[in-house]
Amino acid sequence: ILTILGNSAVLATAVKRSSLLKSPELLTVNLAVADIGMALSMYPLAIASAWNHAWLGGDASCVYYALMGFLFGVCSMMTLCAMAVIRFLVTNASKSNSNKITKSTVCILIAFIWLYSLLWAILPLVGWGYYGPEPFGISCTIAWSKFHNSSNGFSFILSMFLLCTVLPALTIIACYLGIAWKVHKAYQEIQNIDRIPNAAKLEKKLTLMAVLISVGFLSSWTPYAATSFWSIFNSSDSLQPVVTLLPCLFAKSSTAYNPFIYYVFSKTFRCEIKKLQCCCGWRVHYFSSDSSVEPPVSMMWSG
């Protein structure tokens, strides 16, 4: 519910401000699309299976669930990587060069991200790698246990780990470390904090927001990655079902964090959310205490 409501608000705000969106903000929209896509395509099936205490739909729904999870997961990871690279380029470029990152360039990048994610998602369907159930039985993902059982599973998991996890994560870390160093040097040159331009303060705020989004995603998926790689080198029976279940739930919760981060750091987003509330029909009327006819607070739903 939080994922759908929060990211729907992000998309509604983006549509309303479509003419005012800057090119890097399109990646934020793409991240919201991936998050809400994961919630709509996967979570209802997983919740129903949890209530059923067994997976619903058999092998076909298991492959579908794992494919959707892999598709949207890789898309989110690569979008965060692209956000970090673009923020690094904007921070280190001159004002004239930073304007070269146009909306068309970002749209091409987003299209490449989706094609790259789709390619990795369909590879297990054509014979390289496997999809299978999670150890706790009410979710499906990549068959990590096939790492030792076949050279096919070994090569797929190793390649996926390097190209979809390690390389993007290292790129994100390197870009934000570079940005932090650049900002540190710039602030050292300006001794008086009052003399720091508003543009520099805004750039620092945007960078901090992007860092928190990346940290939230990586930290929420780290426990799941740890248990997955444990199952690569050890039998899945060596872990209790709850030990494998909780990291999976924590990883899926990553789709709900971002709208809250936007709300805290973006004044524009806060204003648009208030306007959306008004457009939906929520009104709160406060009356003076000396009025004996009207109640002190009345709320009307007219949507």
Side-chain angles (χ1 to χ4, degrees), residues 20 22 36 72 95-96 105-106 123 126 148 150 154 156 159 162 184 232 262 266 270-271 286 299-300:
L20 302 175
K22 297 179 181 178
I36 202 171
F72 291 119
K95 187 174 181 179
S96 58
T105 302
V106 176
L123 283 176
V126 297
H148 283 304
S150 68
F154 172 85
F156 174 76
S159 301
L162 292 175
H184 172 70
I232 288 176
Y262 303 148
S266 175
R270 287 197 299 272
C271 294
Y286 294 93
M299 299 184 71
M300 177 182 69

Side-chain angles (χ1 to χ4, degrees), residues 44-291:
L45 183 57
I47 293 169
S49 298
W51 281 105
N52 188 55
H53 299 281
W55 181 253
L56 296 175
D59 293 339
S61 64
C62 184
V63 170
Y64 158 79
Y65 184 93
L67 186 145
M68 290 294 105
F70 198 21
L71 171 65
F72 291 119
V74 174
C75 180
S76 297
M77 186 67 169
M78 300 310 297
T79 302
L80 291 171
C81 182
M83 288 173 64
V85 172
I86 288 180
R87 184 127 302 279
F88 177 80
L89 294 176
V90 169
T91 303
N92 287 274
S94 61
K95 187 174 181 179
S96 58
N97 290 332
S98 63
N99 294 329
K100 292 182 179 180
I101 303 176
T102 62
K103 285 188 177 182
S104 59
T105 302
V106 176
C107 287
I108 294 172
L109 180 60
I110 290 173
F112 173 78
I113 288 172
W114 280 103
L115 289 174
Y116 183 82
S117 305
L118 183 62
L119 173 65
W120 279 101
I122 64 175
L123 283 176
L125 301 182
V126 297
W128 193 33
Y130 309 94
Y131 288 132
E134 300 269 17
F136 50 86
I138 56 171
S139 178
C140 294
T141 184
I142 298 167
W144 301 100
S145 59
K146 297 290 185 179
F147 185 82
H148 283 304
N149 295 350
S150 68
S151 58
N152 189 334
F154 172 85
S155 59
F156 174 76
I157 291 175
L158 186 62
S159 301
M160 181 275 299
F161 174 63
L162 292 175
L163 298 177
C164 298
T165 306
V166 174
L167 188 59
L170 290 178
T171 302
I172 291 171
I173 293 170
C175 286
Y176 286 129
L177 286 177
I179 292 171
W181 177 253
K182 177 76 174 181
V183 171
H184 172 70
K185 296 296 289 183
Y187 274 60
Q188 273 190 334
E189 295 174 0
I190 306 174
Q191 300 297 327
N192 188 355
I193 192 70
D194 296 329
R195 293 175 54 197
I196 297 176
N198 289 333
K201 294 179 181 178
L202 177 61
E203 191 68 30
K204 183 181 179 181
K205 193 175 184 179
L206 292 174
T207 300
L208 180 58
M209 183 176 73
V211 168
L212 288 177
I213 293 169
S214 299
V215 168
F217 182 86
L218 294 175
S219 60
S220 62
W221 279 92
T222 297
Y224 178 76
T227 55
S228 298
F229 286 111
W230 173 271
S231 63
I232 288 176
F233 300 105
N234 301 274
S235 172
S236 58
D237 298 333
S238 60
L239 294 174
Q240 293 294 325
V242 69
V243 176
T244 57
L245 172 62
L246 292 178
C248 184
L249 295 177
F250 188 51
K252 297 299 190 295
S253 70
S254 65
T255 57
Y257 300 155
N258 296 338
F260 293 99
I261 297 174
Y262 303 148
Y263 190 84
V264 171
F265 283 89
S266 175
K267 183 179 180 180
T268 302
F269 185 62
R270 287 197 299 272
C271 294
E272 292 296 336
I273 290 296
K274 292 176 182 178
K275 291 179 183 178
L276 283 175
Q277 290 173 345
C278 293
C279 291
C280 289
W282 284 104
R283 298 290 187 275
V284 179
H285 302 286
Y286 294 93
F287 298 92
S288 60
S289 57
D290 59 351
S291 174

